[in-house]
Amino acid sequence: MTKVPWMLAALVLVAGVALDLLAPEPYTGLPLLAAAPLIAGAMLSFRSAFAVVCVTCVVSVAVDVERERPATPLLVDLAVVGLIGVLALVVNRLIVRQGIDLARARDVAEAAQRAVLPDPPREVGPVAVAAGYTAAQAEARIGGDLFAVQETPFGVRVIIGDVRGKGIAAVAAVSVAIGAFRQEAEYAPTLAVLSQRMDEALAREAARSGPVISTEGFTTAVLAEVSADGETLSLVNRGHPPPYLLHGGRIVRLDPAAPQLPLGVGLGELAPAGSVPVDVVRLPPGASLLLVTDGVTEARDGRGTFYDPVSSERLHRRFDDPEELVEALTEDVGRWTEGERADDMAILVVTRRGRPPRTP
């Protein structure tokens, strides 16, 4: 990649010399001679740009001498090229400083992301866990997607969600949601109670934030609980894309029996205790629960078709490790969208340990 700026600056410089020497009108190649330092200043290191500026000044004088121009035009040409060269070096320093500031900001954002959203443990109770997070933009390392896995007295509890908003503005909402989950997951006796307590916590936080319409501060989420023996999987879906169950090379989408409002819109105050429906399914040995955010389900190809994990041939196979499933899904979505994403993408896989029974 470093050869391209050098070649471009050299090509512009040679073209300027050729025009100055061969064109019938004088000074035809001067704009190209002046452009060479600008290209170097914007695309090369300071030392390399300084070398190009010096070479361009020498070439400008040599061309004027070759064409036997008077001293005054020669000095004017040299002053023009020299002044533009100095400006190019100033631009070079500004670009370098901006790059350093951007790198520091990205490091701070990444540290905040890891503090608020640490990587889950690889093994918890009867399950193995893997997670993946891909930002919509390469320079953005923080967003509104969240996930967490926690071992509790009631089993392994899991959350994946998506708060309203993106970037730094979403960090506070993510921290509140994760904090509420960590706290209440230890004491709520059921997923229904956990869901209501999180709803109340997020609603209180939204009220403290000022006069904001409640529907503007919502968080979609799926809460899951794997029993201590790993046999039973319980789910509560609060307006989030449904998870998937992978077992024996098959994928089943686990749609909720009854749709629910997202967290943070005050359902905990409106609904009686225990009224949140909980879906219960069996989790066989070797089966994987795949939880995603809408960065996966709303990913589109060039024709505008949404990505569907159930229809993906790459996912209809056995995965011995949850990390393999995360990598396969991330690559498959990337191929589907041809690398273009409009939203952050979070993936969480919970796999029950133990070998599945052999199929005859």
Side-chain angles (χ1 to χ4, degrees):
M1 293 296 294
T2 56
K3 293 181 179 180
V4 175
W6 274 108
M7 294 176 61
L8 184 59
L11 180 62
V12 171
L13 186 61
V14 171
V17 172
L19 286 175
D20 250 352
L21 292 177
L22 302 177
E25 295 293 332
Y27 312 118
T28 305
L30 184 60
L32 289 177
L33 289 179
L38 287 177
I39 294 173
M43 305 178 70
L44 296 172
S45 65
F46 183 84
R47 289 185 179 181
S48 299
F50 181 77
V52 172
V53 171
C54 293
V55 170
T56 304
C57 291
V58 172
V59 168
S60 175
V61 173
V63 170
D64 284 347
V65 171
E66 175 64 23
R67 299 214 57 173
E68 298 180 351
R69 289 177 182 146
T72 300
L74 184 151
L75 293 176
V76 171
D77 291 351
L78 178 60
V80 170
V81 173
L83 177 61
I84 294 178
V86 171
L87 293 176
L89 295 178
V90 172
V91 169
N92 181 276
R93 300 311 300 169
L94 292 176
I95 292 175
V96 171
R97 182 176 298 177
Q98 185 180 27
I100 293 174
D101 293 341
L102 179 60
R104 288 175 179 171
R106 292 177 64 186
D107 290 341
V108 171
E110 185 176 14
Q113 179 84 340
R114 292 188 177 277
V116 174
L117 200 65
D119 294 332
R122 300 188 64 178
E123 293 185 357
V124 186
V127 298
V129 181
Y133 181 89
T134 305
Q137 299 177 351
E139 65 274 10
R141 301 188 181 184
I142 194 165
D145 291 355
L146 61 97
F147 51 78
V149 180
Q150 186 165 327
E151 188 171 17
T152 73
F154 313 100
V156 178
R157 286 180 169 174
V158 179
I159 184 175
I160 189 167
D162 187 0
V163 305
R164 181 181 179 273
K166 296 181 178 66
I168 301 298
V171 178
V174 170
S175 64
V176 171
I178 292 293
F181 171 78
R182 298 276 188 204
Q183 172 68 23
E184 302 298 340
E186 289 290 328
Y187 303 104
T190 65
L191 277 188
V193 176
L194 173 60
S195 171
Q196 289 181 309
R197 289 183 180 177
M198 287 192 63
D199 186 75
E200 294 167 359
L202 294 178
R204 287 195 301 269
E205 183 62 26
R208 295 192 192 102
S209 300
V212 180
I213 299 175
S214 61
T215 55
E216 291 186 354
F218 63 83
T219 298
T220 67
V222 170
L223 296 168
E225 178 184 288
V226 180
S227 59
D229 58 6
E231 290 283 344
T232 305
L233 172 65
S234 303
L235 297 168
V236 169
N237 192 325
R238 298 296 299 270
H240 195 77
Y244 302 85
L245 185 66
L246 286 77
H247 182 238
R250 297 178 62 247
I251 306 176
V252 178
R253 191 174 68 184
L254 302 176
D255 293 311
Q260 296 292 308
L261 293 174
L263 297 170
V265 297
L267 180 62
E269 300 175 358
L270 299 175
S275 64
V276 176
V278 178
D279 301 313
V280 180
V281 297
R282 182 174 172 270
L283 187 64
S288 295
L289 175 67
L290 170 63
L291 304 107
V292 300
T293 57
D294 57 8
V296 173
T297 56
E298 295 183 3
R300 303 190 188 201
D301 62 5
R303 296 172 296 181
T305 305
F306 288 111
Y307 176 80
D308 183 9
V310 176
S311 303
S312 173
E313 295 181 358
R314 285 180 54 85
L315 301 184
H316 282 272
R317 65 181 180 87
R318 295 182 185 274
F319 291 92
D320 298 327
D321 189 280
E323 291 185 2
E324 294 181 8
L325 177 53
V326 172
E327 293 174 2
L329 180 57
T330 302
E331 293 174 1
D332 203 33
V333 173
R335 274 194 295 269
W336 183 264
T337 61
E338 297 180 350
E340 305 242 347
R341 293 190 182 92
D343 200 356
D344 300 333
M345 181 176 70
I347 303 170
L348 183 64
V349 177
V350 177
T351 302
R352 182 183 172 187
R353 295 200 299 260
R355 294 184 178 180
R358 294 185 179 180
T359 55

